[in-house]
């Protein structure tokens, strides 16, 4: 049974948590394949809201084996806190499995993330300051510590001593910060914390392949999104991993032939947190309405998200980059009050028209969106459960997006709740 991928098609926060939770009803395993606690995936169950950072969004179901794959960077302190919070809410976290090959986010990563952002000043990226970029940088530089190093305190200490020397020189000499102490880091990461983490450590590649061989349904859950991808996003205003579907392979140890469906998730409009180009961004009251009606504030960082109209140019590119088989559209209800809606169908730069994003970022910064205007429905969609509950204008809007994107839209979100969605076939 090939695995299914869930991937964000915009700049994050499309509703991956909600969709993963929804699909997990029919899955056996959910694997997070990249990112770290820069992610915030929300699942709303009745009056309870779960904001998941590292833990796969399928954890709320007892039949799901939740796995953190090798492609994730893990802050063990955050992971344990997150599991404790879930346990306190009555969620059984005992099935949690963690790849021994996942890299650790270390205290100096967070410190370096914070100081480099400050150092960059007005050129800062607007990172989540969680140490994610520095952790992936160390992974690539081959000086990272991995989850499996927690199982061997001697090795952990040896590796730490080597890397900390360089980090402290950087912190003290370049950034004028106090050096970090290796004993303090060992006190924090080893001992009790390491015991708890160790209990979850598995050979995740074997675990996933055994599940696939059994015919189990495996869902690979992405964090961040296509245009925050290190290779394909709006570099340098990106994250430091590969959220695209290809990253699901490297981040979980599954080859491309073991992937079946690739479900892209898109909001019915677009949001972005942090810096970087955003062609359809609305700086007027439309942006304010989207922020307020969509509660567009970061799940973990609380930052106000930038908002704009749906961008079919980006969505088409996301189809290419991820081999999307379908799209799930969220937050259609947020558009309920508009008399008319704009959809960006192309970009214009001088005499050039683009139906896919220009590869050169300088051009992307200059493009003007070409909009088509569609009538709004001005009706409350939040109670809709079937296609026939959607007013014709809402159906037409979704059908128009599907036609523009070029892949079917099969699920449409009409509210944050677990059951607030409509099955579509546009
Ligand atoms: P993720 O990072 O992709 O998992 O998305 P986030 O959880 O950061 O942000 C999505 C937000 O939208 C969360 O607060 C969800 O509860 C909410 N949400 C998801 N789907 C819908 C929807 O269809 N309608 C509304 N109104 N809210 C939704
Ligand atoms: P989920 O999984 C939205 C953004 C940051 C910043 C850039 C780099 O909830 O969709 P980083 O801390 O990763 O080095 O920051 O990426 N960013 C996100 N934006 N949703 C996320 O995750 C994000 N994770 C990182 O705001 O612009
Ligand atoms: Mg989020």
């Amino acid at each position: 049974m090939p695995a299914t991928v869930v991937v964000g098609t915009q700049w994050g926060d499309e509703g991956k948590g909600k969709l993963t939770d929804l699909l997990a009803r029919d899955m056996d395993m959910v694997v997070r394949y990249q990112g770290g606690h820069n992610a915030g995936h929300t699942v709303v169950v009745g009056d309870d809201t779960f904001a998941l950072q590292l833990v796969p969004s399928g954890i709320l179901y007892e039949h799901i084996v939740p796995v953190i794959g090798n492609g994730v960077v893990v802050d063990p302190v955050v992971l344990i806190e997150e599991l404790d919070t879930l346990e306190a809410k009555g969620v059984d976290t005992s099935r949690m499995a963690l790849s021994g090959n996942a890299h650790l986010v270390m205290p100096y990563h967070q410190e370096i993330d914070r100081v480099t952002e400050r150092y960059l000043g007005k050129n800062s990226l607007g990172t989540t300051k969680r140490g994610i970029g520095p952790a992936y940088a160390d992974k690539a530089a081959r000086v990272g510590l991995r989850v499996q190093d927690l199982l061997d305190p001697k090795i952990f200490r040896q590796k730490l001593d080597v890397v900390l020397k360089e980090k402290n020189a950087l912190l003290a000499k370049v950034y004028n910060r106090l050096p970090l102490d290796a004993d303090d880091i060992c006190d924090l990461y080893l001992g009790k914390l390491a015991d708890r983490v160790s209990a979850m450590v598995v050979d995740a590649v074997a675990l996933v392949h055994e599940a696939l061989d059994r015919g189990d349904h495996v869902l690979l859950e992405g964090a961040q999104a296509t245009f925050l991808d290190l290779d394909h996003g709006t570099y340098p205003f990106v994250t430091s991993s590969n959220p695209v579907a290809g990253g699901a392979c490297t981040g979980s140890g599954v080859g491309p032939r073991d992937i079946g469906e690739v479900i892209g998730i898109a909001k019915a409009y677009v949001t972005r947190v942090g810096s970087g180009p955003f062609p359809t961004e609305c700086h007027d009251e439309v942006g304010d309405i989207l922020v307020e009606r969509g509660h567009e504030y970061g799940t973990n960082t609380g930052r106000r998200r930038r908002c704009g109209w749906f961008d079919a140019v980006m969505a088409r590119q996301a189809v290419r980059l991820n081999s999307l088989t379908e799209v799930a559209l969220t937050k259609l209800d947020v558009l309920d009050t508009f008399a008319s809606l704009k959809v960006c169908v192309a970009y214009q730069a001088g005499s050039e028209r683009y139906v896919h994003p220009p590869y050169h970022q300088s051009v992307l910064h200059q493009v003007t969106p070409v909009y088509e205007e569609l009538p709004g429905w001005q009706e409350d969609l939040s109670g809709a459960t079937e296609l026939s509950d959607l007013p014709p204008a809402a159906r037409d809007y979704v059908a128009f997006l599907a036609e523009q994107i070029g892949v079917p839209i099969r699920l449409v979100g009409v509210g944050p709740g677990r059951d607030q969605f409509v099955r579509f076939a546009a």
Side-chain angles (χ1 to χ4, degrees):
M1 187 85 201
T4 300
V5 178
V6 165
V7 57
T9 63
Q10 295 164 335
W11 279 294
D13 305 322
E14 297 91 347
K16 296 174 290 292
K18 178 181 164 176
L19 180 66
T20 301
D21 169 78
L22 185 64
L23 298 175
R25 290 176 194 183
D26 303 318
M27 296 282 161
D28 299 290
M29 180 178 277
V30 177
V31 187
R32 257 288 295 275
Y33 60 82
Q34 46 66 238
H37 65 299
N38 48 349
H41 294 185
T42 315
V43 184
V44 179
V45 184
D47 293 335
D48 259 335
T49 297
F50 298 86
L52 302 162
Q53 297 180 266
L54 281 164
V55 173
S57 303
I59 187 121
L60 304 182
Y61 293 104
E62 296 214 340
H63 67 273
I64 289 288
V65 178
V67 183
I68 295 180
N70 58 279
V72 176
V73 287
V74 179
D75 182 326
V77 179
V78 174
L79 176 61
I80 296 300
E81 272 172 17
E82 192 173 338
L83 292 172
D84 286 347
T85 306
L86 285 167
E87 284 283 344
K89 286 188 166 191
V91 179
D92 173 16
T93 65
S94 61
R95 291 153 288 121
M96 191 65 226
L98 169 61
S99 167
N101 286 359
H103 277 247
L104 292 171
V105 176
M106 303 292 291
Y108 45 82
H109 292 139
Q110 298 231 10
E111 182 70 3
I112 291 168
D113 201 354
R114 278 195 291 266
V115 289
T116 43
E117 279 288 276
R118 212 174 305 146
Y119 192 77
L120 285 168
K122 67 176 178 41
N123 296 317
S124 73
L125 306 178
T127 75
T128 58
K129 300 195 179 110
R130 302 281 157 90
I132 306 302
Y136 278 115
D138 277 2
K139 174 178 178 177
R142 293 153 297 172
V143 292
L145 274 78
R146 296 191 289 176
V147 164
Q148 58 181 279
D149 295 324
L150 292 172
L151 311 186
D152 190 335
K154 215 168 125 200
I155 295 271
F156 182 93
R157 180 66 196 231
Q158 270 172 16
K159 291 188 177 178
L160 179 63
D161 281 340
V162 173
V163 73
L164 195 60
K165 212 166 141 194
E166 191 209 340
K167 301 298 176 198
N168 276 340
L170 179 74
L171 284 171
K173 293 184 182 151
V174 177
Y175 296 113
N176 203 18
R177 307 291 300 173
L178 290 174
L180 301 182
D181 184 65
D183 288 338
D184 289 347
I185 296 176
C186 287
D187 285 349
L188 184 62
Y189 276 46
L190 300 175
K192 250 200 210 145
L193 187 72
D195 289 344
R196 287 197 56 193
V197 174
S198 306
M200 291 178 249
V201 177
V202 293
D203 176 346
V205 171
L207 193 73
V208 173
H209 280 275
E210 281 155 19
L212 292 171
D213 292 346
R214 271 198 305 271
D216 283 1
H217 290 83
V218 176
L219 181 81
L220 306 177
E221 177 187 7
Q224 289 79 55
T226 302
F227 294 97
L228 288 172
D229 185 276
L230 182 59
D231 286 81
H232 301 289
T234 47
Y235 190 90
F237 304 104
V238 292
T239 194
S240 299
S241 65
N242 289 116
V244 293
C249 290
T250 52
S252 64
V254 166
R257 287 199 296 124
D258 281 322
I259 306 276
E261 300 290 299
V262 182
I263 307 177
I265 177 152
K267 277 182 198 176
Y269 49 100
V270 180
T271 66
R272 171 163 209 169
V273 213
S275 317
F278 182 173
T280 63
E281 182 170 13
C282 296
H283 297 282
D284 55 7
E285 67 155 345
V286 170
D288 295 338
I289 294 170
L290 291 171
V291 169
E292 292 318 315
R293 285 194 48 84
H295 306 290
E296 296 297 353
Y297 296 93
T299 307
N300 291 312
T301 59
R303 291 181 294 173
R304 183 186 158 110
R305 298 175 181 145
R306 301 155 63 193
C307 292
W309 295 117
F310 189 86
D311 186 339
V313 180
M314 288 175 59
R316 277 179 216 125
Q317 185 77 343
V319 172
R320 283 179 162 179
L321 293 169
N322 299 294
S323 304
L324 296 185
T325 49
E326 65 182 90
V327 162
L329 195 73
T330 55
K331 298 194 133 178
L332 189 65
D333 54 299
V334 173
L335 303 180
D336 281 357
T337 57
F338 289 100
S340 70
L341 302 161
K342 287 184 183 173
V343 176
C344 169
V345 295
Y347 296 156
Q348 192 78 33
S351 58
E352 200 74 44
R353 188 171 278 235
Y354 295 89
V355 292
H356 291 99
Y359 86 90
H360 206 298
Q361 195 106 328
S362 309
V363 182
L364 187 65
H365 276 281
Q366 288 160 15
V367 297
T368 311
V370 178
Y371 287 117
E372 290 227 7
E373 205 151 337
L374 282 84
W377 43 92
Q378 296 190 290
E379 244 180 76
D380 178 6
L381 298 189
S382 63
T385 54
E386 291 179 29
L387 188 55
S388 56
D389 297 333
L390 295 183
R395 275 187 255 169
D396 289 349
Y397 180 77
V398 179
F400 182 74
L401 297 193
E403 183 193 308
Q404 286 293 320
I405 303 170
V407 295
I409 294 177
R410 296 204 207 280
L411 280 174
V412 176
V414 291
R418 226 181 200 179
D419 294 307
Q420 287 184 290
F421 70 92
V422 171
R423 291 201 187 278
F424 214 87

